[in-house]
Amino acid sequence: MHQAASNVNNKIWVYWDKEFTASVIDHDEQKLTLEMRHVENNNHFFLTVIYAKCTPILIRPLWEVLRHKSAIYDSPWCVIGDFNVIVFVEEKIGGILYQMSKSMDFLYMIEDCGLVDLGFYGPKYTWSNGRGQGSIVWKRLDRGLVNDQWLSAFPSTSVSHLASTGSDHNPILMKINIRHDTRNKYFRFLNFWVDNVNFKPFVKDIWDKQVNGSAMWVFHQKLKALCTGLSRWSRQEYGDIFQKAKEFEEQVKAAEMVLA
């Protein structure tokens, strides 16, 4: 990494390489916001990295700051990190019964800012108290939230929960796939695929992979993975049939010219 920035108490650090330029917009004890731009394709976005306090009264000022940002940002914006609060009761196991009243300020902020949870691949929980059997608690405290402009600019963004190593939090990995053009690329299903003995097992393997998030998000992610996987599988099984068709067309044209 070639550049770095930290927040006021050095509890949040952001590193970036020479493919990006970035400038710090603001920071405090709970967040660090960068304006970033890709050097080659000039894609521009805002990134707010979160390390929220543990109690609702201390977190509330952060929610207000995010509300303000949502009103002034008209570019792709991602808010990602440790929010120290869950969204659903199912995002916690172990310990005492969770009271959803603790999450209402967070939920109102997400709605007011027009943010969408990116969902995730991998383990369901991102934090553990590390205690032994019978006392252990797991929660999903870390997540990535984005605005509509982000979804439009980077529709294939994905978040994965990685294995925990030496920390009570699991690292989260966000991948951004840049859209190079605005042309619609349609998926083409080829009927002869179903006659291939490897087709159904391949489809089942992709569809059975665990994806977490809202029902619509899960469906979208599985469908996207299936379309991408089938295109790759077809090339492996049959080669590039569209290129072959072009080659045959050229051969036919050459033969017609010889016979003319």
Side-chain angles (χ1 to χ4, degrees), residues 212-236:
N212 297 277
S214 66
M216 183 59 69
W217 175 261
V218 170
F219 177 78
H220 173 75
Q221 292 298 308
K222 288 193 173 188
L223 187 61
K224 180 177 66 177
L226 185 60
C227 292
T228 302
L230 280 174
S231 296
R232 197 173 296 130
W233 173 83
S234 179
R235 288 194 296 271
Q236 292 174 349

Side-chain angles (χ1 to χ4, degrees), residues 162-228:
L162 307 181
S164 175
T165 54
S167 172
D168 56 352
H169 283 263
N170 290 55
I172 60 175
L173 174 65
M174 183 175 72
K175 292 184 178 180
I176 306 172
N177 295 315
I178 305 297
R179 185 174 60 185
H180 297 286
D181 57 55
T182 57
R183 293 174 299 173
N184 291 325
K185 295 181 179 179
Y186 297 99
F187 174 75
R188 285 178 283 188
F189 183 87
L190 304 177
N191 291 335
F192 64 83
W193 285 349
V194 296
D195 296 325
N196 189 311
V197 295
N198 298 321
F199 173 75
K200 289 184 178 179
F202 182 81
V203 171
K204 185 177 186 303
D205 182 62
I206 291 180
W207 200 259
D208 287 347
K209 288 183 178 178
Q210 184 179 6
V211 183
N212 297 277
S214 66
M216 183 59 69
W217 175 261
V218 170
F219 177 78
H220 173 75
Q221 292 298 308
K222 288 193 173 188
L223 187 61
K224 180 177 66 177
L226 185 60
C227 292
T228 302

Side-chain angles (χ1 to χ4, degrees), residues 226-253:
L226 185 60
C227 292
T228 302
L230 280 174
S231 296
R232 197 173 296 130
W233 173 83
S234 179
R235 288 194 296 271
Q236 292 174 349
E237 292 284 328
Y238 304 101
D240 189 339
I241 60 172
F242 300 106
Q243 180 60 37
K244 288 181 179 178
K246 291 179 182 178
E247 293 174 358
F248 290 144
E249 287 175 0
E250 292 299 325
Q251 292 177 16
V252 169
K253 289 180 181 178

